[in-house]
Amino acid sequence: GYIEGWGDVSGAPLDVAMVQAARKVEMDYFERMGVWAEKLPRAVAKARGGKVIQGRWVDTNKGDSARPDYRARFVGKEFNTGIDPTLFAATPPLEALKLLLAYAAGHKNTHIMLSDVKRAYFNALAQREVYVDLPKEDPDYQPGYVGKLRLALYGTRDAAQLWQECLAEHLVSIGFERGRSNPCVYFHKARNLRVLVHGDDYATAGSLPDLKWMQHELESRFDMKTTLVGHSVEAGVVAEGKILNRIVRATTRGWEYECDQRHVEVL
């Protein structure tokens, strides 16, 4: 058991029972997605010539003290041993989100859809032979045993790139064009949809029927959490949503953008 816990990002104390519950959710997800190709002794993995790395837990409260939202991620500890341009994964500029809001403010009946892929990296197949020490929370844990990765794992050097190419392939397959100035922005000419993707978070501006089409396409491919934000009173549309811990809000005066409320608490 654990006596005490501390947030990996904020350094704030965490509720141990909630950390344990979050870790169980993560291990259940590992099992359901089939993250491990096999589990075997470390010595056998080394004899095969594959790369063997350690793992660690990253425990965070993505909410705040009033509304806790505990997340636990088991990640690989594959250290950066030098610059490798082949492992690059881009992110969109913050201005891209502000441009979506500006577009929504200037075009009537435009909504913004915020979509979050759950455990996004697990949707990309591993491309290398990598083994990770099993965590004690794994149901098959034995001292000295490792798991061979079948899917990309957070903390491995190529995971972000593998996921980025996975999502790009999907968006292009359903009619989107990838941005030239930045590879994390997309445009669907036929449906007039504008999208930015930051890691596992999508933000899309467009009409409600076209957004619902995209929601269906995304949820058919990935395990998603989706929020439709706008001024309409249709079922499923809400007044505000969150992306990158920032709030996007539709008000009677137009659209609002609020920065991360946790900054003050963290400071």
Side-chain angles (χ1 to χ4, degrees), residues 207-225:
S207 70
L208 196 55
D210 288 321
L211 288 177
K212 288 186 175 181
W213 167 83
M214 184 176 176
Q215 179 181 1
H216 171 75
E217 292 294 330
L218 288 174
E219 292 178 353
S220 297
R221 178 66 176 81
F222 307 117
D223 187 2
M224 309 286 298
K225 176 184 176 183

Side-chain angles (χ1 to χ4, degrees), residues 56-68:
R56 71 178 290 255
W57 284 101
V58 176
D59 304 304
T60 57
N61 178 7
K62 299 199 64 134
D64 52 33
S65 56
R67 289 178 293 182

Side-chain angles (χ1 to χ4, degrees), residues 24 32 42 45 55 58 75 78 93 96 107 110 127-128 131 145 155 164 168 187 201 204 209 217 222 248 267:
K24 184 179 185 309
R32 189 162 70 254
R42 175 183 268 260
V58 176
V75 305
E78 186 173 12
H107 294 79
T110 297
Q127 299 296 316
R128 298 176 296 137
Y131 301 84
Y145 267 60
Q164 192 165 86
F187 178 59
D201 292 300
T204 311
E217 292 294 330
F222 307 117
V248 172
L267 287 172

Side-chain angles (χ1 to χ4, degrees), residues 118-185:
K118 299 178 182 178
R119 275 78 171 189
Y121 290 5
F122 293 168
N123 291 284
L125 292 173
Q127 299 296 316
R128 298 176 296 137
E129 187 177 356
V130 178
Y131 301 84
V132 187
D133 287 334
L134 290 178
K136 290 182 179 178
E137 290 81 359
D138 189 283
D140 300 318
Y141 171 78
Q142 295 183 56
Y145 267 60
V146 297
K148 180 182 179 181
L149 289 179
R150 186 182 73 86
L151 304 176
L153 179 70
Y154 290 87
T156 53
R157 293 194 64 199
D158 55 353
Q161 183 190 59
L162 292 173
W163 159 244
Q164 192 165 86
E165 293 311 308
C166 173
L167 75 88
E169 182 181 356
H170 175 250
L171 287 178
V172 170
S173 74
I174 59 175
F176 282 90
E177 296 177 47
R178 199 171 187 179
R180 295 181 183 178
S181 65
N182 187 285
C184 302
V185 295

